[in-house]
Each structure stands twice: as structure tokens, then as C-alpha cells.
């Protein structure tokens, strides 16, 4: 599992993450395994980051999807996702109030009443966005078939 550099710590098996941009256009990441061991990957090309990110997504997605559909909450850095709502720094936003979740330099939650919420330090951003899109459009955390 990977986590965004600078993201807050999350519980053991729910520590999910993404990537951070370093200087000179190179990327770095902290990959955290389920057993807690961490690996710092520095000076990666965008292609290498894409490969690692795809592997992390493939490993995590089925388990996280099943946990969410089973009623468990999952942390993505500073955001907690559950069957009923997204929670960020104490603000609870029920799915019924969410029109769309998207990324534009940060995670933007567009609410049905026309207001927006902005989330920072969202770990494993691609997986978070896929799950949020699925939940807000289908009512479940269904993902497209994940290649093995």
C-alpha cells in the first residue's frame, strides 16, 4: 500500500495512499505494506510511478471495495469513506447530499445544494475517486473489472 507524502497516519490495514511531486519533475512515494514496513521510493519517472500505482490499485481495490460494501469504514489519509458518508476533519457529508466527487488540484465534493467541500491529503487518490464515483452514481462501491 502506498500513501501520499505528508498525509496523516491512518489505522493499520486502512493506510492507503498516493503520490507526491518532488523537484525537477520527478516523483516520489512512500509505500506502506500491510505489515507496517515502509519503503521510500525517490526519483521515479512518471512511467515507474504509473506502474507502482497500478500494482497498488490492483492489490487494494478488491479488498477495499468488499470492506466498504460490507459496511466497514475505510480511511484514505484525512478522509474516511463509508457506506453512508464521507467524513473529512469532522465534517460528515452523507452520500445523498453529494452530486459529484472530482479532482481539481484537490478533491472537490460538489453537493446537491450547490456548495462544495474541499479535501486535502487524500491518500490513494485514484482508488478513492473510483470508489466515490461508483458510490455516488450506483449506490454501491462497484468497480470495473480489475485486471489480474
Amino acid at each position: 500500500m502506498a500513501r501520499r507524502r505528508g498525509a496523516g497516519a491512518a489505522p493499520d490495514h486502512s493506510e492507503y495512499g498516493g503520490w507526491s511531486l518532488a523537484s525537477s519533475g520527478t516523483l516520489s512515494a512512500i509505500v506502506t505494506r500491510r505489515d507496517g514496513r515502509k519503503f521510500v521510493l525517490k526519483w521515479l519517472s512518471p512511467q515507474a510511478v504509473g506502474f507502482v500505482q497500478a500494482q497498488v490499485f490492483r492489490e487494494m481495490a478488491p479488498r477495499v471495495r468488499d470492506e466498504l460494501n460490507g459496511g466497514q469504514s475505510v480511511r484514505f489519509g484525512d478522509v474516511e469513506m463509508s457506506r453512508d458518508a464521507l467524513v473529512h476533519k469532522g465534517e460528515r457529508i452523507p452520500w445523498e447530499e453529494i452530486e459529484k466527487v472530482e479532482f481539481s488540484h484537490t478533491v472537490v465534493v460538489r453537493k446537491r445544494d450547490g456548495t462544495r467541500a474541499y479535501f486535502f491529503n487524500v491518500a490513494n487518490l485514484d482508488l478513492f475517486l473510483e470508489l466515490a464515483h461508483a458510490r455516488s452514481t450506483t449506490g454501491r462501491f462497484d468497480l470495473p473489472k480489475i485486471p489480474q
Side-chain angles (χ1 to χ4, degrees):
M1 292 176 275
R3 98 183 168 111
R4 180 183 301 273
R5 181 171 295 210
D12 302 327
H13 76 285
S14 298
E15 188 169 14
Y16 307 123
W19 309 101
S20 64
L21 185 63
S23 62
S24 304
T26 59
L27 300 172
S28 63
I30 299 173
V31 178
T32 305
R33 293 176 16 155
R34 290 181 82 178
D35 64 6
R37 290 181 59 198
K38 294 183 181 189
F39 300 90
V40 178
L41 306 175
K42 297 180 180 179
W43 307 108
L44 299 175
S45 69
Q47 295 83 3
V49 168
F51 175 79
V52 172
Q53 191 169 20
Q55 298 304 312
V56 170
F57 187 99
R58 186 174 23 246
E59 161 69 25
M60 289 175 44
R63 180 173 41 83
V64 173
R65 176 201 58 215
D66 293 346
E67 288 175 1
L68 288 165
N69 283 326
Q72 296 178 19
S73 295
V74 175
R75 291 200 66 80
F76 290 86
D78 288 351
V79 180
E80 181 178 300
M81 182 181 283
S82 73
R83 188 184 303 181
D84 302 320
L86 292 175
V87 180
H88 181 257
K89 297 186 177 185
E91 178 186 7
R92 184 178 186 276
I93 307 171
W95 286 107
E96 294 75 31
E97 295 178 13
I98 297 173
E99 181 178 327
K100 185 177 186 180
V101 179
E102 59 192 3
F103 184 79
S104 179
H105 303 289
T106 188
V107 173
V108 180
V109 178
R110 295 180 185 270
K111 300 180 190 178
R112 296 190 191 284
D113 66 4
T115 60
R116 297 177 185 169
Y118 299 93
F119 296 170
F120 299 92
N121 294 324
V122 178
N124 274 317
L125 183 60
D126 288 344
L127 181 56
F128 174 84
L129 291 172
E130 286 282 336
L131 290 164
H133 174 74
R135 177 59 179 85
S136 64
T137 57
T138 69
R140 289 189 46 85
F141 295 101
D142 294 328
L143 294 171
K145 185 170 173 72
I146 300 163
Q148 295 301 320

